[in-house]
Amino acid sequence: WSTAFFIVAVAYFIGLLPCWRRLQLMMARKTTLLLYGLLGGIAIVLTIAVLVVFLLQQNIWDSRQKDFTNKVYVAKMVLKNAVSSVKSTAVIATQNAEFVQFIEKKNIEGITRYAKVMYESNRSIRRLVFLDKDGVGVALYPYGTFDEPSYASREYFQKVKATRQPYVTDVFQSRVDTVGRYVISIAVPV
């Protein structure tokens, strides 16, 4: 906006240049001084308008930048809390002896019963995948089919197997569905 106002002001004065000399010759000295004052006043008003618009534009950009920064911060906190919540849910489940036995014995009914409780108690969980010690899929919740028979090549499986500690991946694009959702996987050893 400020650039547009500046261009209008310059165009206004440039437009008056060709007829300025004729006006000066036709008018009396008093009228010429009055015209100078009038044009000077217009120039001052246009300059002030350009400055005001420039300052308003700066404030709008600053406001948008602050708004964007706040939204990014809130999104970061929501994601951090969701990851922490899911990780806690998974770690607590692995401390249940009966649940661990169901996984070791590949008891799908028992795993599904516990998975249902985990899934329904935490809104951040979208899918639970249970693997054996070799990375082969044992059970899924909610029900579905395994897209791959083995998850042993996945980074999250390899990290958990090597460290025996929970592992949280970076955001990546899921290969599970055709939508290509971006997900975070949280792997917890049993």
Side-chain angles (χ1 to χ4, degrees):
W1 283 100
S2 57
T3 306
F5 274 137
F6 180 74
I7 290 170
V8 166
V10 169
Y12 172 74
F13 284 106
I14 289 174
L16 287 177
L17 283 178
C19 59
W20 185 253
R21 184 74 178 144
R22 274 185 286 156
L23 283 172
Q24 202 173 20
L25 292 174
M26 292 184 339
M27 293 188 280
R29 173 120 174 102
K30 215 177 205 183
T31 310
T32 304
L33 290 175
L34 181 64
L35 189 59
Y36 280 148
L38 181 65
L39 291 175
I42 291 172
I44 290 171
V45 167
L46 283 174
T47 302
I48 291 171
V50 167
L51 288 173
V52 167
V53 169
F54 175 76
L55 292 174
L56 289 173
Q57 189 177 17
Q58 289 299 105
N59 287 338
I60 289 170
W61 281 110
D62 290 344
S63 174
R64 285 184 181 168
Q65 181 65 30
K66 288 177 185 175
D67 188 42
F68 178 74
T69 302
N70 288 339
K71 287 179 181 179
V72 168
Y73 177 76
V74 168
K76 180 180 174 183
M77 290 293 103
V78 167
L79 183 61
K80 183 178 178 180
N81 289 338
V83 167
S84 176
S85 170
V86 171
K87 187 175 175 182
S88 296
T89 299
V91 168
I92 289 169
T94 62
Q95 295 171 354
N96 183 310
E98 183 181 35
F99 180 63
V100 171
Q101 285 180 347
F102 287 149
I103 291 175
E104 288 172 352
K105 294 179 181 177
K106 298 182 182 181
N107 180 336
I108 295 174
E109 290 177 24
I111 294 171
T112 303
R113 189 175 37 166
Y114 277 97
K116 181 178 180 184
V117 171
M118 291 169 58
Y119 182 82
E120 291 176 356
S121 67
N122 192 321
R123 292 181 8 188
S124 298
I125 296 174
R126 295 287 174 244
R127 188 174 189 190
L128 293 164
V129 179
F130 299 93
L131 309 174
D132 66 11
K133 62 182 168 80
D134 299 317
V136 176
V138 175
L140 286 174
Y141 194 87
Y143 299 105
T145 58
F146 283 99
D147 299 316
E148 296 179 20
S150 175
Y151 289 75
S153 64
R154 302 278 179 104
E155 176 190 17
Y156 51 84
F157 178 78
Q158 293 171 357
K159 293 276 187 178
V160 168
K161 189 170 182 176
T163 64
R164 301 290 303 155
Q165 295 294 318
Y167 179 74
V168 179
T169 67
D170 288 332
V171 175
F172 65 94
Q173 197 166 13
S174 174
R175 294 185 270 176
V176 171
D177 55 18
T178 58
V179 177
R181 291 185 182 108
Y182 287 93
V183 297
I184 295 175
S185 288
I186 301 168
V188 178
V190 179

